[in-house]
């Protein structure tokens, strides 16, 4: 336990109000803990842009599906708080479940359109859970900026949309994906990969990178190239592939013919672990 942990919205508001009176600019980095270098890169972006940085650590139950890994999600609060504070976080907000979802909680924020494709159909309810908890965290903290990773690119766009639609006075800052040396996007779930799976995992980014190069050369072949990529992943040992798709970077419209600006998106299971990744075509 350190002084930099707080658990109640009332304490959070009091501290942020004090900072505001001193004219400080405040940044928020929402996380689900299991902190790694990807999260810490968001903290450093917030620290560069703000006088005070708050990180939240809350494993949000409403964004996990029934058969997903909520119960297995890694929790080590003391280590997370140490890593976050070492990286320049001033305050770590670790609310209990009842603080976020008190008895009788009845509101859901649901963003349509952007959630229709990619992870949306494969994770019913997931983006409602994300949109609801992020709306709450933003309103509890009322930061000047909040930083989110492009690792969860669809989530980043959903959050930009809800902030605009609900007139929440915060700037949403997107942060580049931090990768291991072999290209695997860092993720809290990577620790569940067996040694064999860990060896295969970087192929995911390699296959998506190949898709980006191939569609630039043959823009009309988007669908074939993505289908071949899905087959290649299965041949490499991925258990199943939810999607490999090329989409417009703002609307996430699925592109049958590549046009700039687009990103390649993928989600696939390696053993029991679901990997997601994406990258710009240019
Ligand atoms: P999570 O704890 O997985 O909910 O992630 C919290 C925040 O960290 C989200 O904005 C993620 O997009 C971001 N994030 C997770 N992994 C990475 C990564 N490898 N690079 C950059 N940001 C990341």
């Amino acid at each position: 336990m350190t002084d930099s942990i707080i658990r109640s919205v009332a304490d959070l508001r009091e501290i942020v109000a004090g900072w505001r009176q001193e004219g400080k600019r405040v940044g928020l980095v929402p996380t689900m803990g299991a902190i790694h270098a990807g999260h810490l890169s968001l903290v450093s972006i917030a620290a560069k842009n703000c006088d005070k940085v708050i990180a939240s650590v809350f494993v949000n139950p409403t964004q996990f599906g029934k058969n997903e890994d909520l119960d297995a999600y890694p929790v080590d609060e003391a280590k997370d708080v140490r890593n976050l504070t070492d990286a320049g976080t001033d305050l770590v907000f670790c609310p209990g479940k009842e603080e976020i979802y008190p008895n009788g909680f009845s509101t859901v924020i649901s963003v349509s359109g952007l959630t229709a494709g990619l992870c949306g159909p494969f994770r019913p309810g997931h983006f409602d859970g994300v949109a609801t908890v992020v709306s709450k965290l933003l309103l509890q903290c009322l930061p000047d900026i909040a930083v989110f990773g492009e690792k969860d690119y669809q989530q980043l766009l959903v959050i930009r949309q809800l902030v605009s639609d609900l007139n929440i006075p915060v700037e949403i800052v997107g942060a580049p994906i931090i990768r291991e040396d072999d290209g695997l996007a860092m993720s809290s779930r990577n620790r569940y990969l067996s040694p064999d799976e860990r060896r295969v995992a970087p192929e995911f980014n390699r296959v998506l990178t190949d898709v980006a190069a191939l569609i630039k050369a043959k823009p009309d072949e988007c669908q074939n190239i993505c289908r071949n990529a899905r087959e290649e992943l299965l041949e490499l040992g991925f258990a199943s592939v939810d999607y490999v798709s090329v989409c417009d970077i703002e609307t996430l419209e699925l592109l049958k013919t590549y046009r700039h600006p687009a990103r390649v998106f993928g989600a696939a299971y390696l053993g029991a672990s679901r990997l997601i990744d994406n990258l710009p075509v240019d």
Side-chain angles (χ1 to χ4, degrees):
M1 287 291 217
T2 75
D3 290 333
S4 53
I5 301 186
I6 46 156
R7 299 190 188 278
S8 75
V9 176
D11 288 348
L12 176 69
R13 289 217 162 120
E14 196 182 319
I15 293 170
V16 174
W19 287 343
R20 293 243 170 266
Q21 275 185 352
E22 294 166 17
K24 305 283 192 218
R25 192 172 147 81
V26 178
L28 173 68
V29 177
T31 82
M32 296 208 300
I35 297 302
H36 53 66
H39 298 118
L40 299 180
S41 75
L42 311 189
V43 170
S44 85
I45 290 172
K48 275 195 197 106
N49 285 278
C50 298
D51 305 302
K52 295 288 182 185
V53 177
I54 301 170
S56 59
V57 174
F58 179 64
V59 183
N60 176 35
T62 65
Q63 70 188 69
F64 288 78
K66 275 198 189 79
N67 299 318
E68 293 184 0
D69 57 351
L70 173 62
D71 293 336
Y73 204 82
V75 175
D76 187 342
E77 184 182 281
K79 187 170 165 202
D80 285 346
V81 172
R82 210 168 41 244
N83 287 336
L84 288 165
T85 45
D86 286 353
T89 304
D90 297 282
L91 195 68
V92 186
F93 180 43
C94 300
K97 193 173 158 237
E98 306 67 36
E99 190 68 7
I100 299 291
Y101 299 114
N103 266 343
F105 186 85
S106 315
T107 300
V108 174
I109 307 284
S110 192
V111 176
S112 57
L114 287 167
T115 57
L118 298 177
C119 285
F122 293 97
R123 301 192 70 190
H126 168 71
F127 286 113
D128 287 357
V130 169
T132 304
V133 81
V134 171
S135 302
K136 288 195 60 125
L137 291 167
L138 293 174
L139 293 170
Q140 289 164 350
C141 182
L142 287 177
D144 296 283
I145 73 167
V147 190
F148 294 86
E150 288 181 347
K151 162 90 186 340
D152 302 279
Y153 191 89
Q154 187 174 17
Q155 167 178 286
L156 171 64
L157 293 193
V158 165
I159 291 162
R160 282 196 205 286
Q161 183 74 45
L162 76 86
V163 159
S164 161
D165 289 349
L166 300 178
N167 303 102
I168 302 179
V170 60
E171 180 193 346
I172 300 301
V173 176
I177 302 174
I178 304 298
R179 300 179 181 281
E180 305 287 355
D181 290 343
D182 58 15
L184 175 64
M186 288 193 184
S187 164
S188 309
R189 292 178 167 108
N190 289 350
R191 66 188 69 191
Y192 295 127
L193 297 171
S194 70
D196 279 347
E197 290 163 356
R198 179 63 188 81
R199 267 190 291 281
V200 175
E203 294 290 331
F204 190 40
N205 180 243
R206 201 266 303 153
V207 167
L208 298 186
T209 305
D210 286 353
V211 169
L214 290 167
I215 61 168
K216 265 205 298 194
K218 293 188 175 171
D220 295 336
E221 292 287 310
C222 246
Q223 284 178 303
N224 280 340
I225 292 165
C226 289
R227 189 171 46 242
N228 291 343
R230 288 194 288 272
E231 280 165 18
E232 188 181 356
L233 288 169
L234 295 174
E235 280 160 20
L236 283 162
F238 282 75
S240 61
V241 181
D242 283 354
Y243 57 81
V244 173
S245 303
V246 178
C247 298
D248 179 275
I249 64 161
E250 277 175 15
T251 61
L252 297 185
E253 177 198 343
L254 185 67
L255 300 182
K256 292 182 177 162
T257 300
Y258 161 62
R259 59 160 201 267
H260 178 80
R263 287 180 90 94
V264 183
F265 295 86
Y269 281 87
L270 192 49
S273 304
R274 187 174 189 270
L275 306 186
I276 60 168
D277 200 352
N278 69 90
L279 49 97
V281 176
D282 294 306

